[in-house]
Amino acid sequence: MKQHRMRLIEQNQPAPGIMRMIFKAPDLARNSRPGQFVQIRVTDTFDPLLRRPFSIHRTHSNGTIEILYRIVGRGTRLMSRTRPGVRLDGMGPLGNPFQTEGNFSTALVVAGGMGSAPAFMLIDTLLKTGKSIHFFWGVRCDDEFFHLEWLRSSGVELHLACERGDTGHQGLITDILEPMMNRYPDSKGFVCGPKPMLEKMQRMIRTFPIPWEVSLEEKMACGVGVCMGCAVRVGQKIQMVCSDGPVFDLREVDFGS
Amino acid sequence: MAVDLQVRLGSLVLKNPVLTASGTFGYGVEYAGYFDVSRLGGIVTKTITLEPREGNPMPRTAETFAGMLNSIGLANVGADCFIKEKLLPLEPLDTAVMVNIAGSSPDEYEKVALKVAAHERVDALEVNISCPNVNKGGLAFGTDPEITREVVRRVRETTVKPLIVKLTPNVTDITAIAQAAVEGGADALSLINTVLGMAVDIETRRPLLARHVGGLSGPAIKPIALAKLYQTVRAVSVPLIGIGGIMTWQDALEFIIVGATAVQAGTLHFVDPCGAVKIIEGIKTYCDEKGIGDLSSIRGSMEDGGA
Ligand SMILES: Cc1cc2nc3c(=O)[nH]c(=O)nc-3n(C[C@H](O)[C@H](O)[C@H](O)COP(=O)(O)OP(=O)(O)OC[C@H]3O[C@@H](n4cnc5c(N)ncnc54)[C@H](O)[C@@H]3O)c2cc1C
Ligand SMILES: Cc1cc2nc3c(=O)[nH]c(=O)nc-3n(C[C@H](O)[C@H](O)[C@H](O)COP(=O)(O)O)c2cc1C
Ligand code: FES
């Protein structure tokens, strides 16, 4: 938990509307675990005022970290125009990571939309543990897929779905996951994605007794558990997504709908 | 000669005038990993109520131009848990601890005050009669001089420790409330709490906050805070603590020049966790460069006329 002057060394666009930033930030790279996030100050001025939270997408042994983000508003638009050499102020690593250790032989990683951002660091970490990995990746349009060749060559079993395009299944990722789930009794599931997908996942796993971890998102102000702004009900208790999560037991989350 | 930043709030001596605002600094140690909290003049805790509170429905924060709205709803662990768990980590800190309290009736204010003020680590109470995000108590009390006087009087009876009363800007005449608080026994006043505000998503046509309205904070409210301070300085003679949109040392000095004895930074922590320390450094440098030996020589030193 620290403040870092992260130097942007590269920014590119792996898919339309989606940007990847690569920062030199050795401390952060060394200490981050999958599922954790960084609160980035997008400007030196006070408008936009608040930091923006982003999952750590990947870290590398050369002291760099990557974040992957979709341009959705003022903050991300400003970020997309940031040039290499500029230093951005990032607080992190924040939150609690996915638990990748344990007695399971197969990991089911499920990502929808920008859920791919934390999913890659999770996969990087799982690969080192020698577990077999099934990656269920759903996007709106198939031009949002990237790194598919690398994933395949790393031995990750890919299951793709898109609502538009012709890569993989035409539809939702949950469509292909549901009939397959019972094939992997000795497994652990990890899921990150938009709320409707998470709610559907929660219903689907009722009859599938493996542990499932979920990474949640909420609007954040402080990112460190002081403002009480990012509340969610988990297992009857009010928890803060930023400091008690963002990773929770999927079965215990109250999506409140 | 280096400036002496020490200031007094009643019987309480602060090593410098920069404090943290309630609700933006947790229970005092959450930011300890980012800077040495003992450098602050003091910390003000999240509002403590008699019973634990979960707070309002989500969403309860939203960003607006140069500001943010919140309707947290005084989510806190409650007085008993606060005393049992949250005070101990504050023991080793070399800074003043002020506990912000609230209740839904004068009776409840008195009960929380009794529990909290007795503890040795508590240097002062800040009485929150100005929260816009609860149905009972809060703003409803801080907009009525009679109830203000009554609440403060009841809390006053529980302790001899310094009593700070925190005022809302959401009134026609802040000086009437300020005077009532002083009559009730306040040793100092802090102002302002958040400004009632709102924002709407035009796509969904829903308000950004589940509770529709909330409290605006951040740079956007600084001019409002300065004007309220300016009015209050003329109406009462107790020390005043300026709050509202303080992001830089220059902002803090504006409040001091208008007449604040101390200042609180709130939303700043979310933007820059080390921001309060930078304010202390900035004030020091400003005073040293101008040969100011003591903050009292610039406090309330505002000249007439426009710049
Ligand atoms: C723990 C966490 C990790 C995240 N990781 C990623 C990531 O890896 N990649 C990525 O693209 N996005 C991620 N997000 C979402 C990201 O923070 C928001 O997209 C971003 O803050 C929007 O900023 P903006 O100024 O561009 O948009 P704004 O102008 O603020 O808002 C534009 C839209 O984005 C939504 N939004 C704003 N803030 C958030 C938020 N904190 N969470 C969700 N939606 C928000 C608003 O509701 C609005 O619809 C994450 C959020 C959290 C809480
Ligand atoms: C997220 C948030 C929570 C707050 N909670 C409290 C609170 O519990 N009690 C209180 O007296 N003021 C609370 N406040 C108000 C602040 O203490 C302060 O008066 C206000 O934010 C204006 O200062 P600022 O512009 O520096 O933030 C809160 C403010 C914010 C932004
Ligand atoms: S964002 Fe402030 S508590 Fe989570």
Side-chain angles (χ1 to χ4, degrees), chain A residues 10 32 41 45 55-57 59 73 75 106-107 109 123 128 176-177 181 194 198 209 227 235 239 243 254:
Chain A
E10 190 187 328
S32 299
R41 192 169 167 193
T45 71
S55 302
I56 293 161
H57 176 49
T59 62
T106 304
V109 178
I123 289 169
K128 290 184 200 137
I176 47 175
L177 176 61
M181 284 204 304
L198 302 183
C227 76
Q239 306 258 289
S243 53
D254 179 353

Side-chain angles (χ1 to χ4, degrees), chain B:
Chain B
M1 183 195 64
V3 62
D4 179 7
L5 291 183
Q6 192 168 296
V7 296
R8 293 182 76 97
L9 295 176
S11 58
L12 181 63
V13 178
L14 305 175
K15 62 176 151 190
N16 68 61
V18 181
L19 318 172
T20 64
S22 178
T24 66
F25 207 70
Y27 299 106
V29 292
E30 288 86 343
Y31 282 114
Y34 293 88
F35 73 99
D36 178 6
V37 176
S38 292
R39 294 186 64 188
L40 296 169
I43 56 183
V44 181
T45 68
K46 176 73 190 168
T47 291
I48 306 298
T49 51
L50 199 54
E51 301 297 328
R53 290 177 59 98
E54 289 190 341
N56 287 329
M58 292 286 293
R60 52 198 196 187
T61 64
E63 191 182 61
T64 56
F65 277 98
M68 68 173 282
L69 293 165
N70 88 78
S71 75
I72 306 298
L74 302 185
N76 79 94
V77 295
D80 290 332
C81 174
F82 173 75
I83 291 162
K84 220 168 92 205
E85 293 174 15
K86 304 296 183 186
L87 276 173
L88 197 61
L90 301 176
E91 290 291 348
L93 298 182
D94 178 23
T95 188
V97 172
M98 312 183 195
V99 179
N100 182 299
I101 59 163
S104 57
S105 64
D107 223 39
E108 230 179 87
Y109 275 93
E110 185 181 331
K111 286 192 178 127
V112 192
L114 260 178
K115 285 196 181 210
V116 173
H119 199 283
E120 219 177 307
R121 188 61 189 98
V122 177
D123 296 307
L125 292 185
E126 182 177 62
V127 187
N128 178 5
I129 51 164
S130 45
C131 179
N133 300 319
V134 289
N135 292 328
K136 283 201 284 181
L139 196 52
F141 289 179
T143 54
D144 181 325
E146 292 305 315
I147 306 179
T148 296
R149 193 179 298 110
E150 169 69 4
V151 168
V152 179
R153 193 183 58 75
R154 296 282 289 274
V155 175
R156 177 76 281 173
E157 283 169 4
T158 66
T159 181
V160 294
K161 288 184 181 171
L163 207 62
I164 303 157
V165 176
K166 184 166 178 181
L167 307 181
T168 174
N170 304 309
V171 289
T172 313
D173 179 10
I174 197 167
T175 63
I177 310 292
Q179 280 158 350
V182 172
E183 284 157 21
D187 298 304
L189 304 177
S190 56
L191 63 152
I192 56 177
N193 206 319
T194 52
V195 179
L196 199 64
M198 187 173 178
V200 178
D201 181 327
I202 59 165
E203 298 300 326
T204 61
R205 282 184 276 128
R206 289 167 183 241
L208 294 191
L209 297 176
R211 208 169 169 274
H212 299 192
V213 295
L216 180 63
S217 65
I221 70 168
K222 195 187 79 176
I224 300 172
L226 278 168
K228 298 288 177 189
L229 175 69
Y230 172 77
Q231 293 170 332
T232 310
V233 166
R234 273 143 193 80
V236 297
S237 55
V238 297
L240 303 179
I241 304 172
I243 323 169
I246 296 175
M247 308 305 264
T248 63
W249 59 269
Q250 291 95 331
D251 294 337
L253 280 166
E254 279 189 71
F255 283 80
I256 292 169
I257 290 166
V258 170
T261 296
V263 294
Q264 293 179 10
T267 304
L268 169 62
H269 302 295
F270 307 157
V271 181
D272 182 2
C274 303
V277 172
K278 292 178 188 164
I279 292 178
I280 299 168
E281 291 300 322
I283 295 176
K284 214 180 268 172
T285 308
Y286 171 89
C287 291
D288 288 345
E289 280 175 9
K290 297 222 177 324
I292 296 164
D294 185 321
L295 279 180
S296 63
S297 61
I298 49 167
R299 181 183 315 133
S301 65
M302 192 176 75
E303 307 274 352
D304 281 338

Side-chain angles (χ1 to χ4, degrees), chain A residues 52-55 68-70 72-76 117 217-219:
Chain A
R52 302 294 194 256
F54 296 95
S55 302
L68 184 76
Y69 67 96
R70 192 190 295 277
V72 295
R74 290 179 71 212
T76 45
E217 281 187 16
E218 267 306 339
K219 285 265 184 73

